Amino acid sequence: MKSQYLHSGIRIEDYERYVGAETVERILDKSRPFQDRYVANVNSTYYGGGVAELLGPLVLLMNGLGIRTEWRVIQGNPDFFSITKKMHNALQGGEINLSDRKKQIYEDVIRENSLRNYLEHDMVIIHDPQPLPMIEHYRKRGPWVWRCHVDLSCPHKELWHYFVPFIEKYDAVILSIKEYMQNLKTPTLFFLPAIDPFSTKNRELDDQEIDERLEHYGIPDDLPLVVQISRFDYWKDPQGVIDAFKIARREVDCTLVLLGNVATDDPEGTQVYESLLDCQEERIIILSRQDTALVNALQARAAVVLQKSIREGFGLTVSEAMWKGTPVIGGNVGGIRYQIEDGVNGFLVSTVEQAAERIVTLLKDENLRREMGEKGREKVRQNFLLSRYLEQYIDLFNSFETIYRLNYHP
Ligand code: UDP
């Protein structure tokens, strides 16, 4: 069976070269019952951050399979996003003063969004805490799923208790890894995120294209590049990266590039970026730019990529760099542990000193970099390409079929 890809762009068949014909055929077969069904995704930003990164290609692939899949983005004022960012931080273990005023603003903005959005789809997928309460305002026509991408290993208790009544109205919860499992009445599933190998960010670039991007931003590559690419967010520990680099360069000459962006739903980003600017010098380059091809060029050209997060739901940047054959040093947390096998295809670290030591080890050993890089790419090919993620959603739709018919259309 051929997918009826109505849009220009990547089709599931294009994945055959990476995952084989059998996998592609299986996905096509499984998706057949969902032709012309309607699916809605709702999140809080069009760009910046992993959720938007995933939704873009996933929604297109689903439409290519004939599943009528939409992506809606909620609107909110700065107060709302300041509150939801605090909630995001608290879900990852930070503090929050959960006042009635905050709850009121949060719920009011979501109610307004619910008035503007008709969600009469066969399936609704709500992403992350920002639009979570939307479920309060609809009569369900099919299953609603809450897909939470953040690191839930130790959520703030009071906030979690406030969220539970909303969450338990959903038909299923999807988390990235089993360590984030919470005590909920709602069935919980685990989907590790994945990358789109055909995107501007991940497609193969030739040397000339890489040179052009680096030159455009005046990034010298006469010395090995040590790179971290992340939203400007304290959880990504950009300061720790600079400190580790400063220790490492006592032993090996290198250049650090910290590239970051600020998502529209993240009001803290600018402050984090500005707090780093004093650290800039000739060999410490800190850039705030949204340039996808530059992300690709840096991940491809880097000798070492860091993702020294303190908390990390998954960390798409890790798979992105591994896919380019670049070894990654990652924080020993959350979803990063599922991508990096310590000492095999990269290194896991818990301190600045360990990160510095690993930078030195990798920069001094080209063979090790190549070996780890090759294993990293293979790990991503087998586990973290979007075809696998798509298939998990289709399996979920399938498993809902019976319940959906029984409960919603008796
Ligand atoms: N990203 C980007 N430009 C930047 C910083 C990040 O395009 O300057 C992208 C990055 O390549 C990745 C996503 O944003 O695709 C971040 O996802 P991740 O899961 O690593 O972290 P999150 O931001 O969701 O916490």
Side-chain angles (χ1 to χ4, degrees):
M1 182 185 124
K2 282 264 161 221
S3 73
Q4 46 171 85
Y5 208 90
L6 302 174
H7 312 263
S8 61
I10 296 307
R11 306 162 316 145
I12 191 63
E13 288 89 338
D14 295 315
Y15 279 78
E16 191 177 316
R17 77 184 80 158
Y18 299 127
V19 299
E22 206 180 304
T23 301
V24 169
E25 278 306 315
R26 195 176 61 236
I27 294 173
L28 287 166
D29 284 347
K30 284 181 182 177
S31 66
R32 202 175 321 173
F34 303 100
Q35 301 283 307
D36 300 329
R37 293 289 181 87
Y38 285 88
V39 175
N41 287 276
V42 183
N43 84 321
S44 61
T45 180
Y46 272 116
Y47 79 91
V51 182
E53 191 70 26
L54 275 166
L55 278 174
L58 184 69
V59 165
L60 290 182
L61 271 180
M62 284 194 180
N63 278 289
L65 291 168
I67 307 168
R68 299 183 172 199
T69 312
E70 286 186 54
W71 173 10
R72 308 226 185 145
V73 177
I74 56 163
Q75 297 163 28
N77 52 24
D79 281 355
F80 172 78
F81 285 120
S82 149
I83 292 164
T84 55
K85 176 68 190 190
K86 290 190 175 89
M87 289 175 164
H88 171 98
N89 289 343
L91 277 185
Q92 300 212 126
E95 277 308 314
I96 187 168
N97 165 20
L98 191 62
S99 61
D100 287 344
R101 189 190 135 271
K102 286 199 183 83
K103 290 183 198 166
Q104 187 73 50
I105 293 172
Y106 174 56
E107 291 179 32
D108 283 352
V109 170
I110 291 306
R111 186 167 32 75
E112 287 165 12
N113 275 280
S114 306
L115 287 170
R116 281 193 294 265
N117 281 283
Y118 294 89
L119 294 175
E120 293 166 347
H121 300 65
D122 299 302
M123 168 120 164
V124 177
I125 307 164
I126 300 287
H127 296 263
D128 280 345
Q130 297 90 340
L132 173 68
M134 283 182 89
I135 195 161
E136 295 273 289
H137 305 288
Y138 295 86
R139 202 166 67 82
K140 286 192 217 164
R141 302 283 179 102
W144 279 54
V145 176
W146 186 51
R147 169 66 177 108
C148 181
H149 300 259
V150 303
D151 182 337
L152 280 186
S153 40
C154 54
H156 185 277
K157 278 207 173 62
E158 186 192 353
L159 178 66
W160 186 253
H161 287 141
Y162 166 59
F163 279 159
V164 166
F166 299 127
I167 298 170
E168 291 191 335
K169 290 204 163 75
Y170 285 80
D171 297 276
V173 170
I174 304 174
L175 306 177
S176 292
I177 59 176
K178 59 182 185 315
E179 286 83 345
Y180 302 159
M181 174 97 176
Q182 299 293 321
N183 187 12
L184 288 168
K185 289 193 197 116
T186 316
T188 305
L189 296 114
F190 305 97
F191 292 6
L192 283 157
I195 64 163
D196 171 6
F198 303 101
S199 64
T200 308
K201 185 170 291 173
N202 294 317
R203 76 176 174 84
E204 201 169 331
L205 298 178
D206 61 36
D207 280 340
Q208 209 183 332
E209 288 174 298
I210 298 176
D211 290 342
E212 188 278 323
R213 272 303 79 190
L214 299 188
E215 274 165 26
H216 183 80
Y217 290 97
I219 298 170
D221 71 342
D222 52 336
L223 297 177
L225 290 176
V226 176
V227 168
Q228 175 158 300
I229 298 168
S230 286
R231 280 182 303 104
F232 286 109
D233 184 334
Y234 291 116
W235 299 110
K236 312 283 183 182
D237 198 16
Q239 187 63 54
V241 171
I242 294 172
D243 295 344
F245 170 81
K246 284 183 174 168
I247 300 173
R249 75 170 168 191
R250 291 182 205 145
E251 283 192 54
V252 204
D253 268 348
C254 42
T255 303
L256 174 67
V257 182
L258 271 185
L259 172 66
N261 62 2
V262 177
T264 55
D265 61 350
D266 182 357
E268 283 175 4
T270 310
Q271 190 189 326
V272 176
Y273 170 62
E274 284 168 1
S275 75
L276 300 169
L277 290 178
D278 281 349
C279 301
Q280 286 191 106
E281 46 174 272
E282 195 194 340
R283 293 291 172 181
I284 300 183
I285 299 167
I286 302 172
L287 286 172
S288 176
R289 290 282 191 294
Q290 183 56 50
D291 181 338
T292 314
L294 175 64
V295 173
N296 189 340
L298 280 170
Q299 288 169 336
R301 180 63 58 83
V304 180
V305 162
L306 276 101
Q307 189 53 61
K308 211 204 138 311
S309 306
I310 294 161
R311 287 265 187 274
E312 190 64 75
F314 178 70
L316 283 174
T317 48
V318 174
S319 276
E320 289 165 3
M322 286 164 78
W323 181 243
K324 286 143 200 148
T326 305
V328 183
I329 300 171
N332 190 5
V333 291
I336 296 179
R337 291 180 179 148
Y338 282 74
Q339 301 171 78
I340 297 179
E341 287 170 57
D342 189 33
V344 178
N345 61 15
F347 289 113
L348 292 170
V349 295
S350 302
T351 63
V352 165
E353 291 70 25
Q354 279 174 2
E357 199 185 309
R358 295 315 191 185
I359 294 173
V360 173
T361 307
L362 281 165
L363 290 186
K364 282 187 170 169
D365 191 339
E366 196 183 333
N367 283 338
L368 182 65
R369 292 205 298 274
R370 200 184 47 251
E371 269 168 39
M372 286 191 158
E374 280 167 12
K375 287 180 186 151
R377 182 172 165 95
E378 182 56 14
K379 175 91 179 179
V380 176
R381 189 190 69 74
Q382 288 184 19
N383 300 281
F384 300 120
L385 296 184
L386 212 59
S387 43
R388 187 264 304 150
Y389 195 60
L390 170 70
E391 188 171 3
Q392 283 182 295
Y393 268 112
I394 296 171
D395 286 342
L396 176 65
F397 299 167
N398 263 308
S399 67
F400 270 131
E401 263 310 86
T402 333
I403 308 167
Y404 168 79
R405 291 234 161 89
L406 290 176
N407 290 349
Y408 300 103
H409 295 287

